[in-house]
Amino acid sequence: MTVIASLAVRRRAPVALVACLVSFAAFWVAQRAAQVSMIDLMVYRAEGATVRAGGDLYALRTTAARLPTTYPPFAALLFTPLTLLDTATMRTLGTAGNLALFVVFVRLSLRLAGHARVASLWWVAALAVWCEPVWTTLRYGQINLLVAVLVLWDLSRRPGERWAGVGIGLAAAVKLTPALFAVFLLVTGVVARRRHGSGGPWLRHARVAAASFAGATLLAAAVLPYDSWRFWTRVVFAASRAGHAEDTANQSLRGVLARLLHTPEPGAVWAVTAAVVAAAGLGVAVAAELRGRRAWAVTVCAVTALLVSPVSWSHHWVWCVPVVLLLATHAYRAAALGTLLLFSSYALWWVPHGPGRHELRQNGIELMLSAGYGTAGCLFLLIAGVTLRNPGRRQAVTKE
């Protein structure tokens, strides 16, 4: 029976791989049929071209939508190779690269959740690629999966490993939100040192992340001194530069509150709410890490960053994948299913949106639909807190 079972397990992986390839092929065809613009990828190339031409990076307005540059200067340096590609080739490589990154992201997420079956990688990837954040990431040609892979790869390193921290530092230099992971490591180290007299691994991890971020930022400053000065003294504080706070795609607390209060800028209400959620989320993440529950710590930190960021577009929520896997492997099956259905429903796009700022006039049902991701994020933090108070919660881990 053991031999038969082993053969059955070995046969599952090829079947799952074929299913994944078919799903990816259908996804690719569907994206092309939808005539996706990959507009953000076009912005990235324009940023790279501006760097090569010595232009003003933060005066740039490109594509028919007149989109501005919002990332730190280091990101623009990384985008310069895109200028060597024609549009068709760039879009093809962008889609293929993001699908490859998605497979890596799913693999790292499964490892984080403690689920080691090879076949599971392909089944999860085949299904999860259709969820709204992943679809939208590829539709726009976004770099969310690259950033998430850098962070998860980094946090899967062993304590004290030489390169631990580099991934988080580089991710933060490209897109500032991942810097919260470095803060999480720092706070964990400080708390551990005060309680137990030893927080070295976390503090070392945080130092490497900070040094990597500083190195990448200083490199950009050396190459682009004017743009760097402008970004770090002005642009970084201009939250409205990325778009209207109330846009339905903005699934951060700021976006949810802007729609709920029917105001283009929730101001102090958002600041207080974000501060409370940031403190609570970091507290739960640190507590989870100190109890050896890194999966909860990482996902809680990621969700907290998405909630408190001034802008968290729906495609930033690719972190729903490890969240669903974590809930499923810790016997929160109903919560996992509900979260999966929410992020696969595209419900936030069912409400009036687009030119005309319709989101400022939403009714009750529309407000609920457009607050889905933010609400799910808050509920996940609550579940994580309850789990830490109930250490006996059953964990369903399957290994091969």
Side-chain angles (χ1 to χ4, degrees):
M1 290 298 292
T2 302
V3 175
I4 295 175
S6 179
L7 289 173
V9 168
R10 291 180 182 178
R11 289 171 183 168
R12 289 175 194 159
V15 172
L17 174 58
V18 171
C20 183
L21 292 175
V22 170
S23 179
F24 279 16
F27 181 92
W28 194 307
V29 171
Q31 288 252 322
R32 293 298 173 265
Q35 297 182 335
V36 295
S37 63
M38 303 190 78
I39 190 171
D40 287 343
L41 188 59
M42 303 301 293
V43 174
Y44 300 157
R45 185 170 68 168
E47 291 179 25
T50 301
V51 169
R52 293 187 62 184
D56 187 338
L57 188 60
Y58 295 101
L60 175 68
R61 293 293 186 278
T62 188
T63 74
R66 307 269 308 158
L67 295 177
T69 302
T70 58
Y71 295 167
F74 179 68
L77 290 182
L78 300 182
F79 296 149
T80 53
L82 296 177
T83 61
L84 304 177
L85 305 173
D86 60 78
T87 300
T89 302
M90 182 179 67
R91 286 176 171 169
T92 299
L93 292 177
T95 301
N98 261 329
L99 287 174
L101 282 168
F102 182 63
V103 172
V104 177
F105 181 56
V106 171
R107 177 58 178 163
L108 291 171
S109 298
L110 284 166
R111 183 187 301 173
L112 183 72
H115 196 96
R117 283 185 176 173
V118 176
S120 298
L121 166 63
W122 304 117
W123 286 121
V124 172
L127 295 173
V129 74
W130 295 94
C131 73
E132 191 274 338
V134 178
W135 170 275
T136 310
T137 288
L138 272 78
R139 171 191 175 188
Y140 294 145
Q142 260 283 341
I143 59 171
N144 306 306
L145 290 169
L146 173 61
V147 171
V149 164
L150 282 172
V151 171
L152 275 186
W153 172 85
D154 195 316
L155 290 170
S156 66
R157 303 300 89 199
R158 294 177 181 177
E161 190 170 325
R162 182 177 182 181
W163 296 103
V166 173
I168 291 174
L170 292 178
V174 171
K175 214 169 186 177
L176 295 177
T177 310
L180 190 66
F181 287 96
V183 175
F184 150 70
L185 292 168
L186 174 63
V187 174
T188 302
V190 170
V191 172
R193 174 164 290 182
R194 288 184 176 179
R195 289 183 181 177
H196 313 295
S198 176
W202 293 289
L203 293 175
R204 183 163 53 251
H205 202 157
R207 284 197 299 269
V208 174
S212 301
F213 171 79
T217 301
L218 289 174
L219 172 63
V223 178
L224 303 169
Y226 172 74
D227 293 318
S228 295
W229 173 260
R230 190 174 179 190
F231 179 83
W232 294 108
T233 59
R234 293 178 56 188
V235 175
V236 70
F237 303 108
S240 60
R241 183 181 179 88
H244 298 308
E246 78 277 3
D247 281 353
T248 193
N250 185 10
Q251 291 294 303
S252 69
L253 290 172
R254 179 168 170 259
V256 172
L257 289 171
R259 293 186 292 272
L260 180 63
L261 301 175
H262 304 293
T263 176
E265 183 49 67
V269 176
W270 166 69
V272 172
T273 304
V276 171
V277 171
L282 275 176
V284 172
V286 170
E289 179 71 6
L290 290 176
R291 295 182 187 184
R293 309 185 78 170
R294 171 153 286 194
W296 287 100
V298 172
T299 48
V300 165
C301 189
V303 169
T304 300
L306 290 168
L307 288 171
V308 303
S309 175
V311 176
S312 290
W313 301 127
S314 68
H315 51 76
H316 293 167
W317 285 81
V318 292
W319 287 94
C320 67
V321 174
V323 166
V324 170
L325 291 173
L326 183 64
L327 290 172
T329 54
H330 285 73
Y332 289 104
R333 303 285 170 74
L337 179 60
T339 305
L340 176 62
L341 292 176
L342 170 67
F343 283 96
S344 301
S345 68
Y346 295 69
L348 73 162
W349 300 113
W350 300 355
V351 304
H353 60 275
R357 307 186 76 168
H358 305 284
E359 293 92 338
L360 292 175
R361 300 182 294 276
Q362 289 183 346
N363 58 36
I365 295 178
E366 291 168 346
L367 286 170
M368 289 178 59
L369 291 173
S370 65
Y373 294 6
T375 302
C378 290
L379 289 175
F380 175 71
L381 296 187
L382 180 61
I383 290 174
V386 170
T387 299
L388 290 178
R389 293 176 63 88
N390 181 18
R393 183 75 187 185
R394 181 170 61 90
Q395 181 178 359
V397 178
T398 306
K399 293 187 178 180
E400 190 175 83

